Amino acid sequence: MISYLYHTIRRQKRLLLLQIGIVIFTVASGNAQEKTDSLQLRQVSAIGVLEGGKAFTSNPTSSIYNALSGRLAGLYTLQGTGQPGLDAPSVILRGRVPLIVVDGIPRDLTGINPEQIASVTVLKDALSTAMYGNRGANGVLLITTKKGKKAAGYSFQASAQTGLSSSLKERKALSAGDYVTLYNEALRNDGRQTIYTPEAIAGYKSGSDPFLFPNVNWNDQIFKNNAPFSRYNLNSEGSDKNVNYFISLDYLKQEGLFKPLAQNTYNTNTDYERFVFRTNLEMQLTPRLKGSINLYSSIGDQNSPGSSGLLIYNSILNTPSSAYPVLNPDGSLGGNALFSNNIYGQSVYRGYQRNSTSDGFGDLALTRQMDDVWKGWWIKANISFYAKSLQLIDRSKNFQTFQLLIDPVTGQASYQRYGTQTSQVNNSSVISRNQQFFAEGATGYNHEADGNKLDVVMAYSLQSYRSNSQLPQNFNTGRISANYSIKDKYVLEATASYSGNNWYKKGKQYDFYPAGGLSWNLNKEDFFNNDGFLNTLKLRTTYGKVGMIDPLYYAYLYSYVNIGNVYYFGTGPSSFQGTQEAGLPTAVAASKSTKFDAGLDMGFAKNRGYVQADYFMNTYTDVLQIRGQASSLLGIAYPLENLGKSRISGLEFTAGWKDKIGDIGYHISGNVSMNRSKIIENDEPKMPYSWMSKKGQPMEQLYGYVSDGYVQTAGEGPVVEGYKSQPGDIKYKDLNNDGVINQYDVTAIGGTKPLVYYGFSLGFDYRNFEVSVLFQGITNRNIMVTGLGEWAFQNNGTGNAFEQHLNRWTPETATTATYPRLSVGPNINNNVVSSYWIQKANFLRLKNAEIAYKLQGSFLEKIKVKQVRLFVNGSNLLTFSKIKRFDPEGLSLDYPLQRMINGGLTVKF
């Protein structure tokens, strides 16, 4: 570690600007913005703040990002999988994935336990994000951890909780009887001979012989109804003389839903287990010198079957219930030539794998008040080192499956074997290793006279990130911020940064990012009546340029790839390895975003109620994309270039009310955000027809054919060019009226309404009782539902079929059908991207609820206990959506999202 720091500092001569008097090789967290910037952001910028506490602790989850859903305007989350340890959602801020900053340092720590968090702040406008230079354009999610209480004394808090998780709605496959009936129908529709006799269909429906006519509900065979969740936490914080501290130790275990096999001596479930340790320490070293040390360590083990959980779920979606029995009469695994990889075998006979993740950091910050030299002057320096490794332990194996064969003459049984059985491998390898070094030096000056206040901050930071065998990626940023307040009425602020990255070509590595803003506190004016209904009123606006980095990996240099043994020399069959160019080099630069924000903050009824509103418009330029007018005739792999331009604009509202009636305290709050995006420039060639152009459309727009009902008579159209239609096929709109459906009829099909996402919470407390609920929702969300889990009999005709296929088109259901006529395998007309397959994935979800009771009294005081809090909480409790077949958020194509019911207690000493 010492060697790494030495060579990093030696390579980066700019670090001499930090002028740190000592070299420290371990420890702690610096929050370079802690002293001044946080105050400034609250005065001018568009931000949202979520204080730590019940907002996080009431949500039983392994990822803290799930607790952010519906709580902050401009931010929403989408969760794709519920698998323990992998269930962190995508976090979207004003349409973009934000930079994660923990205690002032960019990094993504999923192992933060809820009790560690002091606050979560979203930085959304140019003024608040310009300090991050070429990484600020997407906004910033700023997480601040607890630093310990300042008052003398100490306290302990222990928490224990346990619960059960269960799956949200999943796609339901057809029973064997329905499957084979529809399969025969699909064959007839295709003009082919049926393969299931009436006797076989009757056998599948009756279940008279589960070995010859299996009817397997694979979800019931593989998964349990619920799985346990447990978490234990111990915190201590306090202050003694010149030291205050916060210490946290956390253990979490969440079991998966896979059923075990009693004979196995190892775990084949998708379990997740994690230990997290954190200590934050602040020390007043001298009357003017303060230091802080943060240490963090996390160890996580993620278990899975030898076949991954995702692979098993895909197998279930692909495998009909009639494919084969789970076990044959002799106890062997069922299978056949088409389905040789028994799903039950994948779950319990494939051994296991374990991903072990270990990460940790040490940070140090030193701050000195320089009043003895110049009143109001301070300096600060902080360094951090972070390391993370991922080790894969592979103890997988292969198994055999057998098909039961009955001799039609003798009736004797025999078995056809498929696959090869192997012993467990014993492999262990480090598949990922990351390191990060961060250093920052800052100095500032603050002055107050005649009610006017001035704050100035200058800082320089270096962050060097190394991933696996790649060369380090260095982020260098220098910045200056100035904030001037005139009698707390008018606040003017400006920030500028000069930021670069070494992966860009020289001459394109650095750019300048300025931003400014002002606010007007009307309630400070003489004409404002502070005793009226309206108590506070602030108008604010900001504007500036911020960067968005995607440097690629030395893309301006020629690179080559191995193309295998393709060159032959001599008279024998010897071949030799060759190489070829990986692609054309491209000298890209950072993308930019100019951001405008205007808003107001208002408090009323003695500040019991509040309203915050923002309008924003973010224009992105130099966006990386492949040249739209490039010709594919040359066979060239065209590189990404800074060609694109787009815009995201929207409105955000937050409002709340908090009051008390007698012994009953209550609160209600909500937020709603509306985002609209637009492609301004994409270098597309001139389109033959206006509807083909993507310019002017939303960035997330869906494109395809426009469906126009069903074919009623054979040969009717319009249908896809070259296809001979049958009754029940999908017709499409011929937009250019040329009599055929082809690429000239592709248009925008996803709608143009702004995406709207919202959340609202309410709660009350009565004496020792507390109740709180949180709802999260989204509307105007369109999804394309195709392929796996949606189309019948895919995988060249061997795939599964589902409940929606019962309402397929037939002559009898021609007016009510919600699925076209059935075909075996892909249908080149019906199985194309079109508006037929778009669904509105709007939903409203009871995301979180908690009921708690506090025990307090003389008895507890006698045993030195301050409080005992009993609680029951849950997440993903109810979902309201027009989509009934699957969960509208996770789409049920992976490990399903989980509903959690949880209970526990917290004891404070």
Side-chain angles (χ1 to χ4, degrees):
M1 177 177 175
I2 294 176
S3 175
Y4 175 79
L5 295 182
Y6 171 75
H7 289 292
T8 301
I9 294 173
R10 185 176 181 182
R11 286 194 303 267
Q12 302 296 325
K13 294 182 180 180
R14 296 182 183 89
L15 283 176
L16 294 176
L17 299 175
L18 300 178
Q19 297 181 355
I20 302 175
I22 57 175
V23 179
I24 304 170
F25 295 104
T26 58
V27 295
S29 152
N31 182 355
Q33 291 76 37
E34 178 183 359
K35 180 177 176 63
T36 57
D37 293 348
S38 296
L39 176 62
Q40 295 174 25
L41 292 175
R42 293 176 186 272
Q43 292 179 333
V44 181
S45 293
I47 68 170
V49 181
L50 181 63
E51 300 295 339
K54 288 184 290 185
F56 299 106
T57 58
S58 63
N59 197 321
T61 178
S62 61
S63 172
I64 196 62
Y65 301 127
N66 280 315
L68 300 178
S69 304
R71 295 191 180 274
L72 292 165
L75 183 141
Y76 74 98
T77 64
L78 280 176
Q79 189 176 357
T81 176
Q83 182 169 338
L86 297 176
D87 58 352
S90 299
V91 179
I92 311 297
L93 180 61
R94 287 186 173 177
R96 297 282 182 163
V97 179
L99 176 71
I100 307 295
V101 176
V102 182
D103 288 332
I105 300 174
R107 51 192 170 198
D108 188 2
L109 295 178
T110 57
I112 302 176
N113 69 296
E115 286 81 3
Q116 295 175 2
I117 295 179
S119 66
V120 173
T121 305
V122 287
L123 313 181
K124 298 180 283 189
D125 64 343
L127 184 59
S128 62
T129 58
M131 68 181 71
Y132 297 97
N134 56 16
R135 288 187 288 176
N138 291 353
V140 177
L141 184 65
L142 184 63
I143 300 175
T144 303
T145 61
K146 294 180 179 179
K147 302 298 187 289
K149 63 181 183 180
K150 308 295 184 180
Y154 62 89
S155 64
F156 291 93
Q157 177 176 296
S159 178
Q161 52 189 299
T162 184
L164 291 175
S165 64
S166 58
S167 297
L168 299 183
K169 185 177 288 291
E170 301 177 68
R171 286 173 163 83
K172 292 184 178 180
L174 292 179
S175 65
D178 286 337
Y179 179 88
V180 298
T181 300
L182 295 192
Y183 199 91
N184 271 358
E185 179 184 314
L187 290 171
R188 288 192 295 268
N189 290 343
D190 293 344
R192 299 163 61 183
Q193 185 68 38
T194 59
I195 62 173
Y196 294 105
T197 66
E199 293 77 17
I201 294 175
Y204 282 115
K205 288 186 175 181
S206 66
S208 57
D209 190 335
F211 300 107
L212 292 180
F213 305 110
N215 181 20
V216 182
N217 186 320
W218 286 109
N219 279 310
D220 289 348
Q221 288 291 331
I222 303 300
F223 304 117
K224 302 179 291 185
N225 292 328
N226 49 61
F229 167 90
S230 59
R231 187 167 159 264
Y232 305 93
N233 177 263
L234 178 63
N235 294 335
S236 177
E237 61 179 320
S239 178
D240 183 14
K241 295 182 180 179
N242 295 324
V243 177
N244 58 285
Y245 65 89
F246 174 80
I247 300 174
S248 177
L249 180 63
D250 187 81
Y251 169 75
L252 178 146
K253 183 175 184 180
Q254 184 174 356
E255 294 187 17
L257 293 170
F258 288 87
K259 291 181 179 178
L261 181 65
Q263 297 93 305
N264 282 340
T265 58
Y266 47 81
N267 182 15
T268 59
N269 203 351
T270 52
D271 293 352
Y272 179 63
E273 193 172 18
R274 185 184 70 196
F275 295 88
V276 178
F277 170 77
R278 172 185 285 273
T279 177
N280 294 345
L281 181 67
E282 290 185 330
M283 301 161 289
Q284 193 68 45
L285 303 175
T286 71
R288 290 189 173 89
L289 180 63
K290 183 175 72 174
S292 66
I293 296 175
N294 290 355
L295 297 174
Y296 168 91
S297 179
S298 174
I299 300 174
D301 284 331
Q302 188 171 47
N303 202 80
S304 69
S307 298
S308 69
L310 175 59
L311 178 60
I312 293 174
Y313 269 94
N314 284 340
S315 296
I316 291 175
L317 291 174
N318 276 309
T319 305
S321 54
S322 60
Y324 52 85
V326 180
L327 299 175
N328 292 311
D330 65 349
S332 61
L333 292 170
N336 52 52
L338 290 177
F339 300 97
S340 60
N341 200 5
N342 185 293
I343 299 176
Y344 182 66
Q346 293 180 50
S347 175
V348 296
Y349 286 104
R350 275 278 283 145
Y352 71 96
Q353 293 183 340
R354 181 175 296 135
N355 284 315
S356 295
T357 303
S358 59
D359 63 335
F361 62 76
D363 307 336
L364 170 72
L366 294 173
T367 303
R368 190 182 189 281
Q369 299 297 326
M370 303 297 292
D371 292 333
D372 53 333
V373 178
W374 184 17
K375 186 177 181 180
W377 179 33
W378 56 268
I379 59 174
K380 183 173 184 176
N382 63 314
I383 63 173
S384 169
F385 183 78
Y386 171 78
K388 178 178 181 179
S389 67
L390 175 61
Q391 181 183 27
L392 172 64
I393 299 173
D394 186 1
R395 297 285 286 144
S396 61
K397 61 180 180 179
N398 293 322
F399 57 87
Q400 296 174 328
T401 58
F402 298 84
Q403 182 180 9
L404 173 64
L405 302 174
I406 303 296
D407 190 295
V409 178
T410 65
Q412 291 185 341
S414 62
Y415 291 94
Q416 173 67 49
R417 182 178 65 187
Y418 298 94
T420 303
Q421 185 168 335
T422 63
S423 300
Q424 282 184 278
V425 299
N426 187 16
N427 297 330
S428 177
S429 60
V430 177
I431 60 176
S432 176
R433 182 181 287 113
N434 303 322
Q435 294 178 336
Q436 176 181 290
F437 171 74
F438 178 88
E440 183 173 65
T443 185
Y445 170 77
N446 54 76
H447 177 72
E448 181 175 358
D450 299 325
N452 301 329
K453 302 173 186 177
L454 173 67
D455 284 299
V456 179
V457 178
M458 293 187 295
Y460 175 81
S461 66
L462 160 71
Q463 186 169 16
S464 182
Y465 179 80
R466 181 193 295 268
S467 177
N468 299 322
S469 59
Q470 289 185 336
L471 296 174
Q473 181 178 189
N474 299 327
F475 300 91
N476 300 275
T477 301
R479 66 181 178 88
I480 181 170
S481 300
N483 179 290
Y484 185 64
S485 172
I486 304 174
K487 301 186 184 302
D488 289 334
K489 295 181 182 180
Y490 318 104
V491 181
L492 297 88
E493 185 173 352
T495 296
S497 65
Y498 188 63
S499 183
N501 184 276
N502 66 314
W503 281 9
Y504 288 125
K505 185 178 182 180
K506 288 186 176 180
K508 293 180 176 289
Q509 292 181 346
Y510 286 83
D511 212 322
F512 181 64
Y513 303 101
L518 58 91
S519 66
W520 179 19
N521 291 295
L522 280 79
N523 56 289
K524 298 291 184 179
E525 296 286 359
D526 295 337
F527 59 77
F528 192 90
N529 182 11
N530 289 280
D531 296 327
F533 177 75
L534 193 62
N535 308 125
T536 60
L537 180 62
K538 178 193 294 185
L539 302 177
R540 49 185 168 73
T541 185
T542 63
Y543 182 80
K545 183 179 80 169
V546 195
M548 180 173 61
I549 194 167
D550 187 1
L552 311 178
Y553 186 66
Y554 294 98
Y556 62 91
L557 300 175
Y558 277 97
S559 59
Y560 302 87
V561 293
N562 181 357
I563 57 174
N565 296 332
V566 297
Y567 294 104
Y568 295 85
F569 294 93
T571 58
S574 300
S575 62
F576 297 88
Q577 198 173 86
T579 59
Q580 69 180 23
E581 291 181 358
L584 296 175
T586 175
V588 299
S591 303
K592 287 86 177 175
S593 174
T594 45
K595 296 187 173 189
F596 169 77
D597 193 289
L600 67 86
D601 304 316
M602 183 170 61
F604 53 89
K606 297 182 179 179
N607 286 323
R608 291 173 294 175
Y610 65 91
V611 172
Q612 184 179 33
D614 280 273
Y615 168 77
F616 70 92
M617 184 171 65
N618 301 337
T619 302
Y620 298 88
T621 57
D622 292 336
V623 178
L624 288 181
Q625 66 167 70
I626 294 176
R627 185 171 293 276
Q629 303 187 53
S631 172
S632 60
L633 296 177
L634 300 178
I636 297 174
Y638 289 95
L640 292 168
E641 300 179 74
N642 297 110
L643 301 173
K645 184 177 181 180
S646 58
R647 177 179 298 140
I648 299 177
S649 59
L651 295 169
E652 295 168 357
F653 299 94
T654 300
W657 177 272
K658 185 177 182 180
D659 201 357
K660 192 169 185 178
I661 303 175
D663 291 336
I664 301 176
Y666 66 95
H667 63 86
I668 182 170
S669 63
N671 63 84
V672 60
S673 305
M674 292 169 280
N675 286 2
R676 187 189 297 273
S677 66
K678 182 180 180 180
I679 297 174
I680 300 174
E681 178 56 58
N682 59 352
D683 192 53
E684 69 180 9
K686 181 175 176 57
M687 294 296 174
Y689 303 101
S690 59
W691 60 80
M692 296 176 61
S693 177
K694 295 183 179 180
K695 191 178 298 185
Q697 292 288 342
M699 290 185 287
E700 65 277 5
Q701 180 63 272
L702 303 172
Y703 298 89
Y705 299 137
V706 180
S707 63
D708 192 25
Y710 296 110
V711 172
Q712 301 299 325
T713 59
E716 182 186 353
V719 293
V720 170
E721 187 173 15
Y723 178 77
K724 295 181 179 180
S725 68
Q726 297 293 325
D729 285 326
I730 302 173
K731 293 191 301 182
Y732 303 103
K733 288 188 177 181
D734 184 8
L735 299 182
N736 64 346
N737 296 313
D738 64 353
V740 295
I741 300 297
N742 53 26
Q743 69 269 24
Y744 299 114
D745 300 296
V746 173
T747 187
I749 57 176
T752 57
K753 292 183 178 179
L755 183 68
V756 179
Y757 45 97
Y758 56 93
F760 59 92
S761 63
L762 54 95
F764 73 90
D765 59 88
Y766 174 70
R767 295 182 180 176
N768 292 339
F769 282 99
E770 296 176 345
V771 177
S772 63
V773 295
L774 169 70
F775 288 87
Q776 170 214 6
I778 189 168
T779 190
N780 293 341
R781 176 176 173 239
N782 297 302
I783 59 172
M784 183 68 66
V785 186
T786 58
L788 184 64
E790 187 63 25
W791 290 340
F793 311 129
Q794 294 299 293
N795 290 344
N796 296 318
T798 65
N800 212 342
F802 299 86
E803 284 186 343
Q804 70 266 24
H805 302 132
L806 292 173
N807 198 32
R808 76 285 183 198
W809 189 98
T810 66
E812 294 75 24
T813 65
T815 59
T816 60
T818 56
Y819 191 88
R821 75 175 181 93
L822 296 174
S823 297
V824 173
N827 183 298
I828 62 171
N829 181 77
N830 299 333
N831 297 154
V832 295
V833 176
S834 75
S835 60
Y836 188 93
W837 304 109
I838 290 180
Q839 293 198 27
K840 291 285 187 182
N842 305 335
F843 65 88
L844 171 64
R845 174 166 284 164
L846 177 53
K847 187 66 177 179
N848 179 236
E850 183 178 68
I851 302 174
Y853 181 77
K854 297 178 181 178
L855 294 174
Q856 294 173 306
S858 58
F859 171 75
L860 294 179
E861 293 177 358
K862 291 179 181 179
I863 58 175
K864 306 301 182 181
V865 175
K866 296 179 181 178
Q867 185 186 96
V868 176
R869 185 175 186 267
L870 305 174
F871 59 86
V872 176
N873 54 37
S875 61
N876 295 335
L877 298 174
L878 291 172
T879 302
F880 306 92
S881 174
K882 290 184 178 180
I883 295 180
K884 304 301 181 184
R885 294 190 289 109
F886 52 85
D887 182 76
E889 182 177 6
L891 306 185
S892 302
L893 294 175
D894 197 342
Y895 197 105
L897 304 191
Q898 298 294 292
R899 175 182 294 109
M900 189 80 71
I901 305 295
N902 181 65
L905 61 85
T906 299
V907 182
K908 295 182 179 180
F909 302 92

